[in-house]
Amino acid sequence: MNNPNRQMRKKQLTKTFLKNAFIDLILENNNVHSITISEITDRADFNRGTFYIHYQDKIDLLEELYQDAIEGIHQSIKKPYRNKAKVFLNGVIPSNKLLFEHIEKHKKLFKALDRIENNPDIYKRLELFLWNLFSKEIYIERETDAKETRYDIFLSFQVHATVGVIKYWIKKDFIFSTSIMSEQLTSFYSDKVIAMNFKNQNLD
Amino acid sequence: MNNPNRQMRKKQLTKTFLKNAFIDLILENNNVHSITISEITDRADFNRGTFYIHYQDKIDLLEELYQDAIEGIHQSIKKPYRNKAKVFLNGVIPSNKLLFEHIEKHKKLFKALDRIENNPDIYKRLELFLWNLFSKEIYIERETDAKETRYDIFLSFQVHATVGVIKYWIKKDFIFSTSIMSEQLTSFYSDKVIAMNFKNQNLD
DNA sequence: ATCACTTTGTTGAGTATTCAACATATTCAT
DNA sequence: ATGAATATGTTGAATACTCAACAAAGTGAT
């Protein structure tokens, strides 16, 4: 039985090895720019030339780490919406639970990105992403949906609070469990949030 | 930094994936001959053609599993002799401890080979190997090294007792710890064995 | 025993990775 | 500021793996 996607999977596997090597080196070195391509390929046990098949340079690889981080969060938040457009809340918001579980599963990635103090700030990216997600894809219904409350201001609160909690958790090296984190985060705004609407039903 | 051995390591890695897939299928299927090449390569996520680059057929792959098992045991027994020709015993025979630790580390391999009831019997092979090892490479010194005791008869006892204990352990699904196993095995003949001599010092 | 079906072993063309070599950049010590 | 050493990016030839296709052998149901 032949599998036509195998070549793609093998390429992806190679990239994963390169990424993991890079993440490990960041966590050891604390300085992205002092890490050489050779170090990355040596660690991942590939020829240096192989790196350039997949990435233009170190920044290109780093950029993919950011995209992986954001996209992973995207998927974990969207997961409860498979097959249903609206998610009603009882206790912990399902997306929150999956969100923290996802981050913990990839804690090395997030820890590494947290260490990079420079220009591309993972938390700024996360704020931007969540803002877009909650304004375009997922709409949050609230008890106090009266005329005088402005959704954009509510989003500002929601997004910054969420990112702030995540940031604190990563900085504190994940000392709290995912359950505690999602319970706490949910409790912070559960008296206002009733349900979450997924606007595009055409995706799984 | 280029590493000229990388190509060899990559080939070895591919073979390891194929072997592990085969081992898993044996443990699931209980019948080597009903397992197809396609199943093996599918499980290991390789193209079927890749199999034939490394192995002639299923039997060839199986043969390598046997050799891996025997060679692994060989290495673990020989390990205490690095840099010294003679190992004196105090309590547990060092080789015994490493022997059981090695088997437990590769328990899936040994369990799979144990399942194969057919012609190539892993325990017969093990007996033959240990016999050769203890008659050619490692000499066992005993308290009662008098003229009237014949070393070949002693070896017969030693080898069959050792393999018998290993066999029981594997059949019982490794329910006893490696410490208990090596202690027990050592105690069975420690009153006779004083030291073990490694005959060829020229290997590390 | 026949026929459909699966497995086997092989082949050729295409892609991924390896390796050594090279010319440029960059880094670093003096 | 200079020179030595290291890192970067690229190239061409070799090897490993992928994929689709094929003929031949084996399997299984009727």
Side-chain angles (χ1 to χ4, degrees):
Chain A
M1 205 187 306
N2 276 335
N3 191 330
N5 294 25
R6 184 173 296 127
Q7 220 152 3
M8 226 181 61
R9 253 177 291 141
K10 284 287 158 73
K11 280 187 81 164
Q12 210 53 49
L13 190 62
T14 298
K15 294 178 80 173
T16 300
F17 281 128
L18 290 171
K19 287 182 209 171
N20 286 338
F22 193 32
I23 289 171
D24 284 347
L25 288 167
I26 292 172
L27 292 176
E28 291 170 16
N29 268 20
N30 264 351
N31 185 0
V32 170
H33 294 291
S34 68
I35 299 170
T36 69
I37 310 286
S38 294
E39 280 180 293
I40 297 169
T41 52
D42 278 358
R43 182 67 68 102
D45 204 11
F46 285 104
N47 186 274
R48 191 167 58 89
T50 304
F51 179 93
Y52 294 99
I53 294 171
H54 301 285
Y55 302 104
Q56 292 215 337
D57 51 30
K58 216 172 15 183
I59 305 306
D60 192 18
L61 170 57
L62 185 60
E63 176 57 29
E64 210 169 280
L65 289 190
Y66 281 95
Q67 284 173 10
D68 286 353
I70 300 290
E71 183 56 22
I73 285 178
H74 188 181
Q75 292 307 321
S76 61
I77 290 181
K78 256 175 45 179
K79 204 173 183 184
Y81 298 91
R82 286 175 191 275
N83 304 326
K84 45 192 162 192
K86 182 183 270 194
V87 172
F88 289 96
L89 308 171
N90 45 355
V92 173
I93 297 179
S95 284
N96 278 351
K97 190 159 165 40
L98 292 172
L99 170 67
F100 286 107
E101 284 170 358
H102 172 82
I103 294 176
E104 196 186 46
K105 187 175 172 187
H106 299 89
K107 57 167 67 174
K108 283 174 78 174
L109 166 63
F110 286 96
K111 196 72 197 171
L113 294 182
D114 173 81
R115 287 273 177 87
I116 300 166
E117 305 288 353
N118 254 344
N119 224 356
D121 184 329
I122 181 63
Y123 302 111
K124 282 182 189 167
R125 289 208 186 199
L126 198 45
E127 284 166 10
L128 180 60
F129 163 74
L130 286 180
W131 181 279
N132 286 331
L133 181 71
F134 285 124
S135 44
K136 288 176 188 161
E137 289 192 63
I138 297 176
Y139 186 84
I140 304 176
E141 290 183 27
R142 294 164 298 143
E143 265 179 357
T144 56
D145 246 348
K147 291 169 192 169
E148 72 272 11
T149 70
R150 291 196 45 179
Y151 189 66
D152 55 352
I153 294 177
F154 168 71
L155 263 195
S156 178
F157 158 79
Q158 182 82 7
V159 164
H160 284 84
T162 302
V163 173
V165 168
I166 291 175
K167 185 173 183 173
Y168 181 74
W169 191 46
I170 295 176
K171 295 268 186 210
K172 281 288 183 179
D173 265 317
F174 314 94
I175 49 174
F176 308 112
S177 73
T178 57
S179 315
I180 289 176
M181 292 306 291
S182 50
E183 280 165 19
Q184 290 288 308
L185 180 56
T186 301
S187 75
F188 294 155
Y189 48 75
S190 66
D191 56 334
K192 300 198 174 190
V193 175
I194 297 173
M196 295 171 91
N197 262 331
F198 190 48
K199 295 180 177 178
N200 285 328
Q201 282 100 320
N202 49 343
L203 270 184
D204 66 321
Chain B
M1 202 190 306
N2 276 337
N3 191 329
N5 294 24
R6 185 173 295 126
Q7 218 151 5
M8 226 183 60
R9 254 179 289 142
K10 284 286 158 75
K11 279 188 81 164
Q12 210 54 49
L13 190 62
T14 298
K15 295 178 80 173
T16 299
F17 281 130
L18 289 172
K19 287 182 210 171
N20 286 339
F22 193 32
I23 289 171
D24 285 347
L25 288 168
I26 292 173
L27 291 177
E28 293 170 13
N29 268 20
N30 263 350
N31 185 359
V32 170
H33 294 289
S34 68
I35 299 170
T36 68
I37 310 286
S38 294
E39 281 180 293
I40 298 169
T41 52
D42 278 358
R43 182 67 68 101
D45 205 10
F46 285 104
N47 186 274
R48 190 167 59 90
T50 303
F51 180 92
Y52 294 99
I53 294 173
H54 301 285
Y55 302 105
Q56 292 215 336
D57 50 31
K58 216 172 12 182
I59 305 305
D60 191 18
L61 170 56
L62 185 60
E63 176 58 28
E64 210 169 282
L65 289 190
Y66 281 93
Q67 285 174 10
D68 286 354
I70 300 291
E71 183 57 23
I73 285 178
H74 188 182
Q75 291 307 320
S76 61
I77 290 181
K78 256 175 45 179
K79 202 172 184 185
Y81 297 91
R82 287 174 191 276
N83 303 326
K84 45 192 160 191
K86 182 184 270 194
V87 171
F88 289 96
L89 308 171
N90 46 355
V92 172
I93 297 179
S95 285
N96 278 351
K97 190 157 166 41
L98 292 172
L99 171 65
F100 286 108
E101 285 171 358
H102 172 81
I103 294 176
E104 196 185 44
K105 187 175 173 188
H106 299 88
K107 56 166 69 173
K108 282 174 79 175
L109 167 63
F110 287 97
K111 196 74 198 171
L113 295 181
D114 173 81
R115 288 273 176 87
I116 300 167
E117 306 289 352
N118 254 342
N119 224 354
D121 184 330
I122 181 63
Y123 301 112
K124 283 183 189 165
R125 290 208 187 199
L126 198 44
E127 285 167 11
L128 178 61
F129 163 75
L130 285 181
W131 180 278
N132 286 329
L133 181 70
F134 285 124
S135 45
K136 289 176 188 160
E137 287 192 64
I138 297 176
Y139 186 85
I140 305 177
E141 291 183 26
R142 293 163 298 144
E143 267 179 358
T144 57
D145 247 349
K147 293 169 191 170
E148 71 272 11
T149 69
R150 292 195 45 178
Y151 189 66
D152 53 354
I153 295 176
F154 169 71
L155 264 196
S156 178
F157 158 80
Q158 184 82 6
V159 165
H160 284 84
T162 303
V163 173
V165 168
I166 292 175
K167 184 173 183 173
Y168 181 75
W169 192 46
I170 295 175
K171 296 270 186 209
K172 282 287 184 180
D173 265 316
F174 315 93
I175 51 174
F176 308 112
S177 73
T178 57
S179 315
I180 288 178
M181 292 305 292
S182 50
E183 281 167 18
Q184 290 287 307
L185 181 55
T186 300
S187 75
F188 293 154
Y189 48 75
S190 66
D191 56 333
K192 299 199 174 188
V193 175
I194 298 172
M196 294 170 91
N197 262 332
F198 190 48
K199 295 180 177 177
N200 284 327
Q201 282 103 319
N202 49 342
L203 272 183
D204 66 321

